[in-house]
């Protein structure tokens, strides 16, 4: 009798990261990296260490000083870290130099946020805008350094909307950017038509505005009975949502949950 074949899903290990910040004011404490740790967790990474260096300004070549780079290198080995995340956006040169000096995956705040956006975007327009931002970010970091980003492997920085792998070839990136720009123009044209219809109906539009994870989606749900995602996470929702709300005197308005930054 033939044995039954079973398929098992292989769980991908979470990235183990060390968070790094440069304190140019000289007065910050460990709280400086709290939000970055929340962002990293939302992106699926586990923070295993933190490093804050007090400097007058960020090192132009490798963000932190050479002595601190050596300290981080030892931490990577001791903590079995798989990468680092910096609290500031790195220049292409800083990212390349840190990768070479540390021999590990290097990410910055912008890369992490874009990665979160890629996993949160649901609408067609949102997915197009996120992929465009990711590709433009990647393109600047490919310039003058060949295919350095290909060393990232999987995980943060390589995932596009819908969990598809981002293209890292320069010529293909440019072609994809051109295609996405055309698609975005068409989407915006349809959105303008919808906006004109709303304006003809003379229905007022109000927006809930606030920083990410301030409770905008929760408030929209409470006021309108909507059932949109509301979680205690940074950038849990990305696409704006509009719902109809009747005021006590019977007037109807359209209430929009805006994206928070």
């Amino acid at each position: 009798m033939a044995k039954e074949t079973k398929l098992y899903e292989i769980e991908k290990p979470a990235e183990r990261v060390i968070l790094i910040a440069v304190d140019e004011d000289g007065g910050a404490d460990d709280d400086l990296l709290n939000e970055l740790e929340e962002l990293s967790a939302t992106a699926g990474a586990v923070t295993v260490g933190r490093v804050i260096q007090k400097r007058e300004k960020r090192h132009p070549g490798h963000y932190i000083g050479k002595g601190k780079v050596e300290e981080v290198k030892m931490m990577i080995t001791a903590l079995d870290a798989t990468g680092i995340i910096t609290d500031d956006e790195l220049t292409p040169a800083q990212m390349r130099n840190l990768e070479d000096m540390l021999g590990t995956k290097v990410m910055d705040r912008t890369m992490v946020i874009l990665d979160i956006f890629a996993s949160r975007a649901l609408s067609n327009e949102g997915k197009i805008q996120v992929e465009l931002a990711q590709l433009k970010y990647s393109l600047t970091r490919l310039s003058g350094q060949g295919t350095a980003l290909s060393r990232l492997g999987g995980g943060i920085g390589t995932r596009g909307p819908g969990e598809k792998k981002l293209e890292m070839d320069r010529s293909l990136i440019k072609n994809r950017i051109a295609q996405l720009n055309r698609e975005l123009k068409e989407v915006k044209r349809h959105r303008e038509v919808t906006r004109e219809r709303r304006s003809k109906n003379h229905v007022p539009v109000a927006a809930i505005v606030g920083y990410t994870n301030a409770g905008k989606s929760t408030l929209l749900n409470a006021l309108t009975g909507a059932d949109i995602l509301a979680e205690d996470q940074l950038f849990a929702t990305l696409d704006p949502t509009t719902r109809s709300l009747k005021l006590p005197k019977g007037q109807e308005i359209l209430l929009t949950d805006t994206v928070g930054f």
Side-chain angles (χ1 to χ4, degrees):
M1 183 176 178
K3 292 183 179 180
E4 181 183 356
T5 301
K6 293 183 179 180
L7 298 178
Y8 296 92
E9 183 177 347
I10 299 175
E11 185 177 348
K12 297 178 181 178
E15 296 187 64
R16 296 170 56 83
V17 298
I18 296 173
L19 308 182
I20 301 176
V22 171
D23 176 15
E24 296 176 308
D25 298 326
D29 53 23
D30 194 52
D31 291 342
L32 179 66
L33 288 170
N34 285 348
E35 184 177 270
L36 184 61
E37 182 167 349
E38 286 188 56
L39 287 169
S40 303
T42 302
V46 176
T47 297
V48 296
R50 292 181 172 209
V51 173
I52 299 176
Q53 183 177 32
K54 297 183 185 296
R55 291 178 58 92
E56 290 186 1
K57 60 181 180 179
R58 304 163 204 164
H59 192 287
H62 32 78
Y63 186 61
I64 53 178
K66 287 185 178 180
K68 192 61 70 173
V69 170
E70 290 302 315
E71 179 184 323
V72 172
K73 191 172 184 178
M74 289 188 290
M75 287 180 65
I76 290 171
T77 301
L79 299 172
D80 194 26
T82 59
I84 68 165
I85 299 177
T86 63
D87 195 42
D88 300 288
E89 182 171 328
L90 298 174
T91 66
Q94 288 171 332
M95 184 170 287
R96 179 179 67 249
N97 291 337
L98 279 175
E99 282 183 345
D100 291 339
M101 296 169 78
L102 296 174
T104 193
K105 181 176 180 179
V106 175
M107 299 159 279
D108 60 17
R109 171 183 280 264
T110 301
M111 183 185 291
V112 173
I113 290 176
L114 289 176
D115 193 83
I116 295 171
F117 282 6
S119 66
R120 295 290 192 259
L122 298 176
S123 69
N124 186 37
E125 182 177 5
K127 290 178 179 179
I128 292 173
Q129 290 177 328
V130 169
E131 189 178 352
L132 266 174
Q134 285 183 307
L135 292 175
K136 289 177 180 178
Y137 172 90
S138 300
L139 190 60
T140 60
R141 278 144 187 80
L142 282 172
S143 299
Q145 58 174 315
T147 56
L149 284 180
S150 65
R151 300 203 303 267
L152 290 176
I156 297 173
T158 63
R159 298 176 294 217
E163 291 300 313
K164 68 179 180 181
K165 190 174 179 66
L166 279 178
E167 180 57 62
M168 291 300 173
D169 179 86
R170 187 180 293 106
S171 61
L172 293 179
I173 286 178
K174 290 181 178 179
N175 290 338
R176 180 61 176 161
I177 287 176
Q179 178 186 347
L180 289 172
N181 278 326
R182 291 192 295 269
E183 292 179 9
L184 188 59
K185 284 182 181 180
E186 186 63 20
V187 170
K188 287 182 176 180
R189 189 181 67 81
H190 285 293
R191 180 154 48 85
E192 287 299 324
V193 172
T194 302
R195 185 175 296 169
E196 288 179 7
R197 288 175 182 170
R198 285 179 179 172
S199 63
K200 289 179 181 178
N201 292 331
H202 304 291
V203 179
V205 179
I208 302 174
V209 181
Y211 192 62
T212 178
N213 206 29
K216 299 184 298 299
S217 298
T218 300
L219 180 59
L220 183 67
N221 286 339
L223 291 174
T224 66
D227 190 27
I228 62 175
L229 178 68
E231 294 183 352
D232 186 17
Q233 282 188 333
L234 298 176
F235 302 112
T237 51
L238 179 59
D239 296 296
T241 303
T242 301
R243 292 290 186 271
S244 176
L245 171 65
K246 280 195 175 182
L247 300 179
K249 292 185 178 181
Q251 183 184 14
E252 181 183 2
I253 68 170
L254 293 177
L255 189 60
T256 298
D257 165 29
T258 60
V259 179
F261 291 94

